[in-house]
Amino acid sequence: MAADSTQPATGFGGHFKSYGGSQIMGNSFSTSGGPIYFDSSSNNRLPPSVCELPDFILSPYFIGRGDELQQIDRVFSASSGDLPGRCVIHGTDDAVAMLAARAEMDGGTIERANNTDLERLVKAVGNLPLAIDQAASYLKSYEGSTKELLDLYKSEEVMEVLSWENDLSRYEEKSVVATFKPALDRISQMAPDAVILLRILCFCDPESIPISVLKRGCSALSQEDGRDIPTAPTVDEIEAVIGLFQSSIRLSKAIQEIQRPSLAVYTREGSERILRIHDLVQFLLRSKLIAAAEREQWLEIVICIVCKAFEVIGDHTSPQNWSQCGQFISHIEFLEGFAAQYGLYNATLLNTSASAAIYLYNCGLYQKAATMHKQTYERRKAAIGEEHPETLTSMGDLASTYWKQGRWKEAEGLQVGIIETLKRVLGPEHPDTLTTMANLASTYSDQQRWKESEGLEVEVLEARKRVLGEEHPNTLTSIANLASTYSKQERWKEAEGLEVEVLETMKRVLGEEHPNTLISIANLALTYSDQGRLKEAEGLEVEVLETRKRVLGEEHPYTLTSMSNLASIYLRQGPQRWKEAEGLEVEVLETWKRVLGEEHPNTLASMNNLAVTWKEQGQDAKAISLMSECVHLRTRILGANHPLTLGSSAAFTEWQTQEPEVDSSATDNMTVTEGEPSRVDETLDRALQLRPKKKRFFTTLRQKFRS
């Protein structure tokens, strides 16, 4: 941190409200040299080593306690004469103390106010001191409760608080509205491109707004002849927005205009350019820059841009695209919040929300996926009715996500409802009806309700034979599912007979290297393994693995599944093959970590399996340590009551207290779907009817895995 600088930086962003402790803010324009640091108690300049901060930090003045930087205290206006940021960022404890002191609360008042409510209040205003001053003044003047003021901030009457003339403020400007009004007036008169940019930012998540997302969406919209423009009056506005984001020079100038008066912070994170805006400022911008009658129109413009940008990513289920998809989630949620607030039903936004939930599902973020699917389902149900195909799609997506979470009763309830509706609307033998019945059969199977599961599967199989023919892929799927149910009941010979039949037909109809043919071979291998026919099982599994490496690639989920299954077969062959099993398990685990991330459910399943392998080898300390980590992560990600969490937890508890031998199949004997790489029973449930672009019917390829 270099030499002195007489020019302070200004600006703040919404992201500061989310973190406790001391915060710093990035300067949005260059300065000559670096900032200067002072200890408020002595007014002595602090050496740069005390404050490990980047050169572009916000303020040249700090309050220090010993050698620890606690809070930024003062910010002075830029030499250009533009409005100062006038921003202090406190840790939550300091902000609460400031609020209490400024409102002249005594100990009893603070206790009655509830410290949690005080923390929520200062976070609601982003730890922004001018806003804290205002809140304190409001509390003192009206003698209202902290909870009442919190409710007011969440209501449409928030402008009353923001415009309150604050008699406590040390600053010349007495309210947040007054503070920013000169800047907004100037921009409105002199910088039309900046006004357009700010109107777009009004409906984005203020924490982090990637410029690339807005540019990508505008670029995609510009290439469409028949654009999905919500209402005719928005055409001119959206053309203006597209023009702005297609001109680098105009966009750069607009960003400079909104930086100068501290309306936003512009930073770089790697190659990504980010805008951040404080949420109170964002509220003011919506109120002052957009007429009430035009807010819904501008919301729909932002929906068009964000949804189009998400659409052009392509395959949202591919790990290669997940980093891009992740940028959108908070913005989609933010837009959904505004749509609900304005009572707006936007089909484009709901379709994007459904796709975003599918991305979350494939990432293993099941709770977030369930929340988003549920919101989409409820919005569609209210707007277009419970029997609309899109509503039923959302209902099925939600059921599938509940199924992944082990929430089988909830999944069952939704599936039963879908089946009743589909039978009435489409007929009992419609493909979608039969698919849902097959899914319900799997849900029964996971609850070990074998008779109900088998009965439904037989019914679906007979209907598909009659309607589609005996060699139709969906019919073969039903045969494979029935074989899986037999296998779970240890009816090995019946399972084997059906699997051989499916395999021979698939080879003839689909080809020997078709993905579904390979799944059938892998299922037969597992049935052989379950019967102790380990050499036959190994031969088939090696065949599948080599073909998948060649056809799908070495890091494809199905390839990794085959490696895990082969490791299971090696492990069962005794100590002479344990090293080979361990080598495969380690390779699978490292690949899952790299491809899907360290906390994806597939990664955790591999972690579980490697721990089991180490336990079989007598490497107890390593096994217990790894299983402990697995239990911790599964508890946090899947939930304490998820069947897989309970299985890992039971093994971990037993290993800690034992010496009895642990069966290698004791931990992941629950079945899960889509790439969870335990020992695998790769049935074709929820298969072969993959989501088409317009009409998705939650029929994703399902693989069951068992240890």
Side-chain angles (χ1 to χ4, degrees):
M1 316 207 22
D4 297 0
S5 170
T6 57
Q7 180 179 353
T10 61
F12 58 92
H15 63 310
F16 301 113
K17 72 181 186 293
S18 300
Y19 303 99
S22 302
Q23 299 293 341
I24 59 172
M25 298 185 209
N27 181 9
S28 57
F29 53 88
S30 62
T31 59
S32 58
I36 313 167
Y37 307 102
F38 290 87
D39 185 318
S40 64
S41 59
S42 64
N43 213 34
N44 293 328
R45 185 173 167 188
L46 300 175
S49 59
V50 173
C51 310
E52 297 179 359
L53 304 170
D55 288 339
F56 54 80
I57 66 162
L58 177 66
S59 176
Y61 289 86
F62 299 89
I63 289 177
R65 295 178 185 168
D67 288 338
E68 293 185 10
L69 178 66
Q70 295 297 323
Q71 53 188 284
I72 301 171
D73 184 39
R74 289 176 291 174
V75 180
F76 292 82
S77 70
S79 58
S80 65
D82 280 319
L83 191 70
R86 302 237 191 256
C87 182
V88 182
I89 299 298
H90 295 267
T92 300
D93 291 344
D94 289 335
V96 168
M98 175 183 176
L99 176 66
R102 305 286 280 169
E104 298 181 4
M105 292 182 178
D106 57 27
T109 305
I110 294 174
E111 186 174 342
R112 286 192 301 276
N114 184 330
N115 198 59
T116 302
D117 283 343
L118 293 175
E119 289 179 1
R120 287 175 181 162
L121 180 56
V122 297
K123 287 179 180 178
V125 301
N127 290 2
L128 177 62
L130 181 53
I132 291 173
D133 275 348
Q134 281 190 301
S137 178
Y138 197 88
L139 287 171
K140 182 180 176 183
S141 299
Y142 280 117
E143 296 183 350
S145 72
T146 309
K147 186 178 184 305
E148 288 170 350
L149 184 56
L150 260 174
D151 292 339
L152 195 58
Y153 267 110
K154 296 174 183 177
S155 73
E156 294 181 358
E157 297 174 312
V158 68
M159 280 300 298
E160 180 182 350
V161 183
L162 296 177
S163 300
W164 177 251
E165 288 298 326
N166 177 5
D167 61 343
L168 304 178
S169 177
R170 295 166 291 175
Y171 308 130
E172 179 182 350
E173 290 79 14
K174 294 296 184 182
S175 75
V176 176
V177 173
T179 300
F180 287 99
K181 188 176 185 301
L184 294 179
D185 289 345
R186 177 187 172 279
I187 284 178
S188 297
Q189 295 167 12
M190 306 292 294
D193 281 346
V195 172
I196 291 174
L197 178 58
L198 287 172
R199 285 174 173 171
I200 294 298
L201 300 186
C202 281
F203 295 101
C204 297
D205 177 17
E207 299 280 340
S208 177
I209 307 168
I211 293 173
S212 65
V213 166
L214 302 177
K215 292 186 71 172
R216 190 185 308 138
C218 287
S219 176
L221 284 173
S222 72
Q223 296 170 23
E224 291 194 349
D225 293 329
R227 294 179 194 144
D228 183 21
I229 305 301
T231 56
T234 66
V235 174
D236 290 341
E237 285 81 357
I238 204 165
E239 292 286 0
V241 173
I242 290 171
L244 171 61
F245 280 94
Q246 287 189 316
S247 170
S248 297
I249 294 175
R250 286 174 60 190
L251 182 59
S252 294
K253 287 183 177 178
I255 291 172
Q256 289 174 2
E257 289 287 349
I258 68 174
Q259 285 182 89
R260 231 179 254 129
S262 305
L263 294 175
V265 170
Y266 172 72
T267 60
R268 283 188 178 272
E269 294 181 2
S271 61
E272 189 67 74
R273 294 185 297 164
I274 301 291
L275 283 170
R276 291 187 171 93
I277 185 169
H278 195 285
D279 52 357
L280 287 181
V281 175
Q282 187 186 55
F283 178 86
L284 289 174
L285 293 174
R286 277 196 304 275
S287 302
K288 298 298 181 182
L289 280 185
I290 309 177
E294 297 178 354
R295 286 172 200 156
E296 185 174 316
Q297 171 182 308
W298 277 94
L299 169 61
E300 293 202 274
I301 289 173
V302 179
I303 287 173
C304 273
I305 294 169
V306 171
C307 292
K308 182 57 66 173
F310 190 73
E311 179 185 319
V312 299
I313 290 174
D315 184 3
H316 305 123
T317 67
S318 172
Q320 287 78 10
N321 295 330
W322 286 354
S323 61
Q324 290 186 70
C325 293
Q327 293 180 309
F328 286 81
I329 299 303
S330 64
H331 298 288
I332 293 169
E333 291 173 334
F334 207 68
L335 291 169
E336 283 281 16
F338 277 114
Q341 178 183 333
Y342 294 167
L344 172 67
Y345 176 81
N346 186 290
T348 300
L349 178 58
L350 287 177
N351 290 340
T352 301
S353 294
S355 296
I358 291 167
Y359 147 73
L360 292 169
Y361 176 96
N362 281 275
C363 287
L365 300 172
Y366 302 132
Q367 185 54 52
K368 281 189 173 183
T371 299
M372 193 167 278
H373 276 315
K374 186 175 182 181
Q375 289 173 347
T376 303
Y377 163 59
E378 289 175 346
R379 295 286 306 279
R380 283 175 167 166
K381 179 181 175 182
I384 56 180
E386 194 164 8
E387 296 186 354
H388 191 283
E390 290 185 354
T391 306
L392 295 174
T393 294
S394 292
M395 197 173 176
D397 286 334
L398 180 58
S400 291
T401 308
Y402 284 160
W403 187 85
K404 263 292 199 184
Q405 294 177 288
R407 297 163 64 177
W408 292 320
K409 284 296 181 186
E410 291 166 276
E412 177 186 339
L414 289 172
Q415 288 165 342
V416 168
I418 295 169
I419 291 168
E420 291 173 353
T421 302
L422 290 176
K423 282 183 175 180
R424 186 172 63 255
V425 175
L426 300 178
E429 294 191 346
H430 189 279
D432 289 345
T433 306
L434 297 176
T435 295
T436 310
M437 291 170 66
N439 291 344
L440 178 59
S442 291
T443 302
Y444 287 154
S445 178
D446 289 323
Q447 299 173 73
Q448 299 184 355
R449 293 159 63 179
W450 310 123
K451 288 300 179 186
E452 292 164 280
S453 176
E454 182 179 339
L456 269 181
E457 283 165 350
V458 169
E459 183 181 350
V460 171
L461 175 57
E462 293 305 317
R464 282 176 168 169
K465 281 182 178 180
R466 187 169 56 253
V467 174
L468 303 174
E470 296 202 2
E471 294 190 350
H472 190 279
N474 290 7
T475 306
L476 298 177
T477 293
S478 289
I479 299 173
N481 291 340
L482 183 57
S484 172
T485 300
Y486 289 158
S487 182
K488 289 175 183 176
Q489 298 174 75
E490 301 184 2
R491 294 160 64 179
W492 310 124
K493 285 301 178 185
E494 292 169 275
E496 180 183 342
L498 290 177
E499 285 168 349
V500 168
E501 176 188 347
V502 169
L503 177 55
E504 290 174 351
T505 306
M506 282 191 171
K507 282 182 176 180
R508 186 176 66 256
V509 174
L510 301 177
E512 296 200 359
E513 294 189 350
H514 190 279
N516 291 342
T517 304
L518 297 177
I519 288 176
S520 295
I521 298 172
N523 287 342
L524 182 57
L526 281 171
T527 299
Y528 286 158
S529 178
D530 288 333
Q531 297 175 75
R533 296 158 63 180
L534 299 178
K535 282 299 179 185
E536 292 171 275
E538 180 183 344
L540 288 178
E541 200 63 70
V542 168
E543 176 188 345
V544 173
L545 176 57
E546 293 305 317
T547 306
R548 282 176 166 171
K549 282 183 177 179
R550 186 176 67 256
V551 175
L552 302 177
E554 297 202 358
E555 294 188 348
H556 191 280
Y558 288 175
T559 306
L560 298 174
T561 292
S562 290
M563 292 173 67
S564 186
N565 290 341
L566 185 57
S568 172
I569 293 168
Y570 287 159
L571 191 65
R572 294 188 62 185
Q573 290 180 27
Q576 69 275 15
R577 306 297 296 271
W578 284 352
K579 279 297 178 186
E580 292 171 272
E582 180 183 359
L584 285 174
E585 294 283 13
V586 169
E587 183 179 351
V588 170
L589 178 57
E590 292 306 314
T591 307
W592 282 129
K593 284 182 178 179
R594 184 173 65 254
V595 174
L596 299 182
E598 297 196 0
E599 296 185 351
H600 191 281
N602 292 11
T603 307
L604 302 185
S606 281
M607 189 181 292
N608 175 95
N609 290 343
L610 180 56
V612 170
T613 299
W614 281 343
K615 190 69 176 67
E616 288 283 355
Q617 293 176 314
Q619 301 184 58
D620 289 7
K622 289 172 68 176
I624 290 172
S625 175
L626 187 60
M627 190 62 83
S628 173
E629 183 182 357
C630 181
V631 170
H632 171 73
L633 290 172
R634 276 184 160 170
T635 299
R636 182 162 59 80
I637 294 164
L638 300 178
N641 294 320
H642 192 284
L644 293 175
T645 306
L646 295 173
S648 294
S649 182
F652 174 66
T653 301
E654 184 175 357
W655 292 355
Q656 283 187 307
T657 58
Q658 74 185 97
E659 251 340 55
E661 177 117 3
V662 177
D663 183 350
S664 64
S665 66
T667 56
D668 262 3
N669 54 5
M670 306 305 298
T671 60
V672 295
T673 64
E674 292 183 340
E676 180 121 21
S678 299
R679 328 309 175 187
V680 104
D681 174 14
E682 301 180 85
T683 57
L684 294 170
D685 196 2
R686 298 179 195 252
L688 302 175
Q689 299 179 42
L690 302 180
R691 301 171 185 269
K693 188 170 183 65
K694 289 293 182 186
K695 188 179 180 184
R696 308 180 317 277
F697 220 87
F698 57 89
T699 48
T700 54
L701 187 63
R702 174 171 175 176
Q703 296 184 306
K704 299 180 182 178
F705 302 87
R706 64 172 185 260
S707 293

